[in-house]
Amino acid sequence: MEKAGLFKNIRVYWLAFIAYWGIVLFGYDTGIAGGVVSNPYFLEVFGIQDENGNIDTKRKDAISSNVVSVLQAGAFFGALASAPTSGPILPYGPLRHVGASEKAFLGCRLVPFSGSGTFVGEISPLLEGALLALHSPSYLDGRGNGLSHLIDAWIGRKWTLIAYSLIFVVGAILTTVPNDASNGLSFIYAGRVISGFGIGAISAVAPAFVSECSPKEVRGRITGCFQIMVAAGVMISYFINYGVGINFTNSPKIWRIPFGFQLVPAGIMCLGLFTVKESPRWLASKGRNDEALRNLAYLRRESVDSESIIHEMAEIEAVIKEEQEARQGLGWKEAFLGKGNFIRFVIAFVIFLLQQWSGQNSVNYYAPQIFASIGYIGTKNSLLASGVYGIIKFVSTCLFIFFGVETLGRKLSLFISSIGMGTLFFIVGAILKTHPTPSTNANTKPPSPSPASQGMAGMLYIYVCFYSMGWGPLPWVYVSDIFPTRTRHYGLAVASASQWLWNFVVSHQTPIMVTQLGYKLFFMFATVNIGAMGLFSLLIPETKGRSLEEMDIIFGTVDASERENRINAQERAFEQHDIKDDNSLERDAKV
């Protein structure tokens, strides 16, 4: 059964695989900078370490913070900029009542929506209008609205991702070209900002794109592939840093190879996007229902007249029209403060605030420094320990996404994850307090890690398993779940902007906190994990197994009984309309 489901949704998995290559960049840039800025040759070229091996700690922390965090600064603005580019929903005109003879000509079942004369079914308004115009020229209204569905003022999810991947490429090139200290840092800073702008937009649009194309039965798993690609990017970055660190000692390749490799996933994503279809939900929201129907059938590997495709398309169209009726002329104020909306934006903002202060990205960005702080001293030791950490993170993330995300549910997974992470951070902090690491310098051979250091590394490896089963993948899954089509692009943009804003704050301050707090840093993260993240996990509503169209009921935008009554009224209106049309057909036949 699972195998059949996998192959049935293979096109959706392919779409996620392609769209999320941009997320590999997210993970890759998360891990690559920390290894580059901690390399002895980089420190020497840029004036952080003198010829005797003495390091200017304050300058090192400042440059490390800047190289890492300017990417997040650019990403913050990229995430916000992505919302208008990927496009809000624009209203389109309702259809008039269709008689029984016209329905017979179309060969389809049309379902009236809220008695307004709007019909949804396997034939889209655009195709229906064209066919009925041929059958009955009087069908078209006097305003000539038949062509209005062809107008699309926005570029959509797919082309937004292509555009921002090209922006990222420009930034990646700038970070790769520096050769010496004369202008090297300026190029690296500028390139990281531009790359960050591209990554921020990609991180906002890609989850919405994938979520909108995924069936609800496996939506959590497919959307959760986001975190798998993040983990893959982190793992790749650690081993590229390791390979470069042990094979090149006095060469600009120390930063050119790691930064240049960014062009590989960017190129795969940009070219691969030409092989996927646009989001059916986005197309339907723009009135391009004929194309939406074809894309939906393609993604589900079924025919356009399949009963399940008809039902899913009808549900998508009905919900979009319901949102348009309720929120016609939607503005920024109403989008954020409308009934049932504000709490969703609060959740989207807070969930990523907490995720960034969980301590995971501090370890990701500065893994070599973190492992050095617990006793893995020396380039080879710290980079190898970081690489093992990356492998464990990738494997544990894959196992959870494919076997656990739709089993435990969102709330329970987040709660177990936060308690496990907090407990292990408390243990690491306690060991580091009682077994401090030895002091060394560049002219001293680094000692082998002590048993206490190995124990702390083991705790961090178990820690990342807990992170990967909850607070790693699930914030993206959860935020993609809770927003309706009308406001999803705003919701994902706010979530992504929050993620990058707090990512910037944490990454900028981590080198300083590692230097000044020592073991207290782990105690601080442990307190956040248990005290804040654990409580938050218990307060949010469960969304596992619920369709995107049910989220308005969960968050109180629409009352469940009110929606049920409305559906019943629509069914009665449909039955009455069919009776009238059948009587009309009988009279025509007698004549």
Side-chain angles (χ1 to χ4, degrees), residues 14 17-18 21-22 263-274:
W14 172 253
F17 175 76
I18 291 299
W21 269 105
L263 297 170
V264 175
I268 293 174
M269 176 187 176
C270 192
L271 295 176
L273 282 168
F274 289 98

Side-chain angles (χ1 to χ4, degrees), residues 103-413:
K103 284 185 280 184
F105 170 76
L106 288 169
C108 66
R109 178 177 65 85
L110 298 175
V111 182
F113 179 77
S114 66
S116 64
T118 299
F119 288 83
V120 293
E122 67 269 35
I123 301 297
S124 74
L126 179 58
L127 180 57
E128 180 186 347
L131 292 173
L132 287 176
L134 292 174
H135 178 62
S136 174
S138 64
Y139 175 79
L140 292 176
D141 63 29
R143 296 171 296 171
N145 285 344
L147 297 177
S148 64
H149 300 294
L150 298 176
I151 301 173
D152 185 6
W154 304 97
I155 65 176
R157 315 294 194 208
K158 172 180 172 178
W159 288 101
T160 296
L161 290 176
I162 291 173
Y164 282 108
S165 66
L166 294 176
I167 291 174
F168 175 87
V169 166
V170 174
I173 292 172
L174 286 177
T175 58
T176 305
V177 297
N179 191 50
D180 52 44
S182 60
N183 55 13
L185 280 178
S186 299
F187 275 100
I188 290 175
Y189 290 158
R192 294 279 287 177
V193 170
I194 295 171
S195 295
F197 189 83
I199 288 178
I202 291 169
S203 70
V205 177
F209 187 24
V210 173
S211 179
E212 289 172 358
C213 294
S214 303
K216 67 180 180 180
E217 294 79 10
V218 293
R219 190 178 68 246
R221 180 181 302 157
I222 293 176
T223 309
C225 288
F226 183 105
Q227 192 63 26
I228 291 178
M229 301 304 262
V230 172
V234 171
M235 179 180 67
I236 292 169
S237 74
Y238 289 160
F239 279 100
I240 285 184
N241 272 334
Y242 177 72
V244 169
I246 64 174
N247 288 290
F248 301 99
T249 54
N250 297 299
S251 169
K253 293 178 181 178
I254 292 292
W255 60 84
R256 282 187 167 178
I257 292 177
F259 287 142
F261 187 81
Q262 298 172 101
L263 297 170
V264 175
I268 293 174
M269 176 187 176
C270 192
L271 295 176
L273 282 168
F274 289 98
T275 70
V276 304
K277 302 287 188 180
E278 182 58 86
S279 161
R281 281 183 170 87
W282 183 86
L283 290 168
S285 75
K286 308 294 290 184
R288 295 162 58 179
N289 297 52
D290 189 37
E291 188 179 352
L293 179 66
R294 291 196 301 269
N295 285 9
L296 183 64
Y298 172 83
L299 289 168
R300 302 295 182 263
R301 300 183 69 192
E302 296 187 20
S303 63
V304 293
D305 57 358
S306 164
E307 184 177 348
S308 62
I309 294 298
I310 293 170
H311 178 78
E312 186 173 357
M313 190 66 200
E315 183 180 23
I316 291 170
E317 290 184 331
V319 169
I320 289 173
K321 290 182 175 72
E322 185 178 81
E323 291 169 352
Q324 289 170 348
E325 285 188 348
R327 300 177 183 178
Q328 191 169 4
L330 177 71
W332 282 90
K333 183 177 180 181
E334 186 177 352
F336 286 91
L337 302 178
K339 184 178 180 182
N341 282 357
F342 181 70
I343 185 61
R344 297 188 234 200
F345 284 101
V346 171
I347 289 174
F349 184 84
V350 173
I351 199 170
F352 283 102
L353 183 158
L354 295 175
Q355 185 201 50
Q356 295 309 305
W357 283 101
S358 70
Q360 169 59 21
N361 269 354
S362 292
V363 179
N364 275 353
Y365 280 113
Y366 301 99
Q369 294 93 318
I370 293 290
F371 278 99
S373 74
I374 63 172
Y376 282 77
I377 302 169
T379 300
K380 183 176 180 179
N381 286 338
S382 62
L383 291 177
L384 183 59
S386 302
V388 174
Y389 179 89
I391 292 176
I392 294 173
K393 180 179 180 180
F394 177 73
V395 172
S396 59
T397 299
C398 290
L399 290 175
F400 175 72
I401 293 300
F402 286 106
F403 300 107
V405 68
E406 297 294 352
T407 302
L408 295 175
R410 320 298 195 230
K411 289 169 62 88
L412 182 59
S413 295

Side-chain angles (χ1 to χ4, degrees), residues 483-496:
F483 286 97
T485 307
R486 184 73 181 264
T487 59
R488 185 172 297 116
H489 58 293
Y490 290 127
L492 269 294
V494 167
S496 188

Side-chain angles (χ1 to χ4, degrees), residues 417-433:
S417 175
S418 59
I419 298 301
M421 290 190 296
T423 301
L424 289 162
F425 265 145
F426 271 127
I427 293 173
V428 171
I431 296 175
L432 189 57
K433 165 65 175 173

